[in-house]
């Protein structure tokens, strides 16, 4: 029983750290010292991490959670490698400050992410329609 509790606590700590790193990427996206390609990759990772839409739906047994367990941490890790260390350090401080104040809510960013996914979905649909039916 104690092992299960320790394992659960470990997973909870990793999830909290991953959430903080997603906010680090969000702040890095807004930083002028970050290259455009790193910003683009970072905002895509943040959008995917906070989006309710997954490449592999969660209702598919085992595979559904692989994207959350593998893709998101891998994306965060790669994005952080593209961002200069001093920017990451500054953004981590901002993320810690933001998270210490409580759970942030940014409806504008939420709407932006939904619009990005909608445009992406429309683009894929049109692409597949043109390739497969025309």
């Amino acid at each position: 029983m104690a092992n299960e509790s320790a394992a659960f606590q470990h997973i909870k700590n990793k999830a909290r750290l991953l959430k903080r790193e997603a906010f680090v990427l969000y702040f890095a996206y807004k930083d002028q010292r970050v290259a455009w390609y790193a910003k683009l990759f970072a905002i895509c990772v943040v959008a995917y991490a906070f989006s309710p839409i997954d490449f592999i739906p969660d209702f598919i047994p085992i595979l559904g959670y692989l994207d959350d367990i593998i893709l998101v941490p891998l994306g965060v890790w790669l994005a952080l490698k593209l961002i200069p260390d001093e920017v990451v350090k500054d953004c981590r401080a901002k993320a810690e400050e933001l998270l210490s104040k409580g759970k942030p809510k940014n409806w504008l960013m939420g709407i932006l992410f939904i619009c990005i996914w909608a445009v992406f979905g429309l683009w894929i649909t049109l692409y597949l329609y043109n390739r497969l039916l025309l």
Side-chain angles (χ1 to χ4, degrees):
M1 194 68 142
N3 262 350
E4 289 176 14
S5 179
F8 181 70
Q9 190 61 38
H10 178 71
I11 291 169
K12 201 170 162 182
N13 289 338
K14 289 290 185 185
R16 190 176 300 119
L17 223 144
L18 188 61
K19 182 178 180 181
R20 184 197 71 189
E21 296 301 291
F23 279 108
V24 169
L25 293 180
Y26 170 71
F27 287 124
Y29 166 76
K30 296 165 73 176
D31 197 298
Q32 297 299 319
R33 299 172 287 176
V34 178
W36 68 269
Y37 55 88
K39 286 183 178 189
L40 179 64
F41 189 72
I43 203 64
C44 287
V45 170
V46 170
Y48 187 75
F50 289 126
S51 173
I53 301 169
D54 291 337
F55 286 131
I56 305 169
D58 289 341
F59 63 82
I60 298 174
I62 300 171
L63 292 177
Y65 292 103
L66 283 180
D67 63 340
D68 296 329
I69 295 170
I70 295 172
L71 288 180
V72 172
L74 182 63
V76 168
W77 179 77
L78 286 172
L80 289 172
K81 291 293 182 188
L82 295 173
I83 299 168
D85 290 337
E86 63 274 1
V87 175
V88 171
K89 183 180 175 186
D90 293 346
C91 292
R92 277 200 179 116
K94 289 179 186 177
E96 285 292 337
E97 181 183 336
L98 179 71
L99 290 172
S100 70
K101 292 179 181 176
K103 195 177 218 178
K105 292 181 177 79
N106 190 336
W107 292 103
L108 183 62
M109 286 307 292
I111 291 169
L112 175 67
F113 288 146
I114 290 170
C115 289
I116 288 170
W117 278 111
V119 167
F120 181 70
L122 180 63
W123 178 73
I124 290 291
T125 302
L126 290 174
Y127 176 80
L128 291 174
Y129 176 79
N130 288 331
R131 289 294 243 171
L132 299 174
L133 297 176
L134 296 180

